[in-house]
Every structure is written in C-alpha cells, then in structure tokens.
Amino acid sequence: MQKFLTALVTSSLVVAALVAAPVSVKAAAETYYVGPGTASGGSCTTPDYTTDAVDDDAAIQGAVDAAAENEGVDTIVICDGSYVITTLIDATADTEGLIIEGETSAELSVLDGAGASQFLDTNVDLTIRDLTFSNFSVIGDDGAVIHNDSTDDLLTVERSVFEDNVAREGGAIFWRGQGE
C-alpha cells in the first residue's frame, strides 16, 4: 500500500508540475493581403494593407513588418494590379522566412520600380511567385529586385518575370545563399 501511495503522490506532483508550467504556443503563419480598396483584412476584396498612387511601398512595408512580428513563415499576397515602388522594402527583421506572391499571375500583379528603387532587402528564406518586377534600379549595390548577403538562406522563384532591372551585379537578384 505504501508503494502505491508513493507512486500516486509522485504522479500527482509530476502532473501538478506539468499543469503549472507555462506552455509556449507559436502562432500559426499568417497571410497578409496588399491591394487597393478598403482595409478590413482577409482578402483582396478587403486587403489588410491598402495602396494608392502615393503609398504602394508603404502598404507592402506594413505587411512585411507585420509578418516579421509573427511566428512562422508568413505569406504576403500582392493583389492583382500595378504598384509603383519608390522606396526599398526592408525585410531584414523577419527571422522565420517569407513568401511574397501575386494573387493570380505574374501578368496581373506587377511591381514597378520606376527606375528609382531597389525592391527588397532580406536575410531569410524567401519564396517569390506569380509576380512581375520591372524597372527597378540601384546604383552602387547588387540586386535591383532582391538583395540578400546571407549565405544560409534559400531563395525560390516560381512563375515570375524580371524585366529591365539594373544593378552593379545580379541585375534583378543578388543572393549569396542557396536557390531553387
């Protein structure tokens, strides 16, 4: 009987310790929508980050910043349309990885640097799909569309178009890491 009570007390202490211990749960990866319209979130009809003729890059930067604060590999959907980007998008705060994709196809989701900007600086795994990048330009740096100096990151590009982009090296992409 004494062994049974000892086992019961020991088991109860283990259960109590497990119940009292804080449990860390990572938030699931999120999807953020960038596009024209009224911001209320969750789709390209009501995007999380809205654009206009002046703040296309600010909307994309807002989505990138939100993704950096969240755990997991987040997705940013660029809704169908043309967007002018005149400021570098900084994705260096993200530590989990990032997916940036067009809503439907590269022909319908177009990012235009207007000859004045580099698009994205990153240091994490990155997937780009269904987007067109045109007219990005950077003087004295590498990768007019995507720049990454890390040697540990993976780049995946699917069904995307890169046209008329200019940089010192790697006209469109400069990536020290791995690629697919």
Side-chain angles (χ1 to χ4, degrees):
M1 181 73 166
Q2 172 127 7
K3 286 184 181 182
F4 173 75
L5 287 176
T6 302
L8 182 60
V9 169
T10 303
S11 296
S12 296
L13 290 174
V14 170
V15 169
L18 288 174
V19 170
V23 177
S24 174
V25 177
K26 288 187 174 184
E30 295 286 334
T31 299
Y32 302 97
Y33 293 86
V34 175
T38 303
S40 60
S43 73
C44 280
T45 304
T46 57
D48 300 289
Y49 298 90
T50 59
T51 62
D52 58 36
V54 179
D55 291 334
D56 292 348
D57 40 14
I60 295 172
Q61 184 65 63
V64 167
D65 292 346
E69 293 176 11
N70 189 48
E71 297 285 337
V73 177
D74 297 307
T75 301
I76 297 172
V77 176
I78 307 297
C79 302
D80 291 348
S82 292
Y83 304 89
V84 176
I85 308 300
T86 57
T87 303
L88 174 68
I89 305 299
D90 182 0
T92 58
D94 198 316
T95 59
E96 300 286 329
L98 189 59
I99 299 168
I100 303 175
E101 63 185 16
E103 176 187 7
T104 308
S105 69
E107 292 77 23
L108 298 177
S109 294
V110 178
L111 301 174
D112 186 335
S117 178
Q118 190 174 27
F119 175 63
L120 183 72
D121 189 18
T122 184
N123 59 357
V124 295
D125 292 349
L126 177 67
T127 298
I128 297 288
R129 68 172 67 104
D130 298 321
L131 289 166
T132 292
F133 299 92
S134 63
N135 302 313
F136 285 92
S137 179
V138 60
I139 297 172
D141 203 355
D142 305 320
V145 176
I146 301 168
H147 182 264
N148 184 319
D149 277 324
S150 174
T151 58
D152 299 326
D153 300 325
L154 175 66
L155 171 64
T156 304
V157 177
E158 301 171 347
R159 301 177 307 274
S160 293
V161 176
F162 298 84
E163 58 189 12
D164 300 324
N165 300 293
V166 179
R168 181 178 60 198
E169 287 186 38
I173 300 172
F174 183 81
W175 195 271
R176 288 198 193 277
Q178 308 166 40
E180 284 188 45

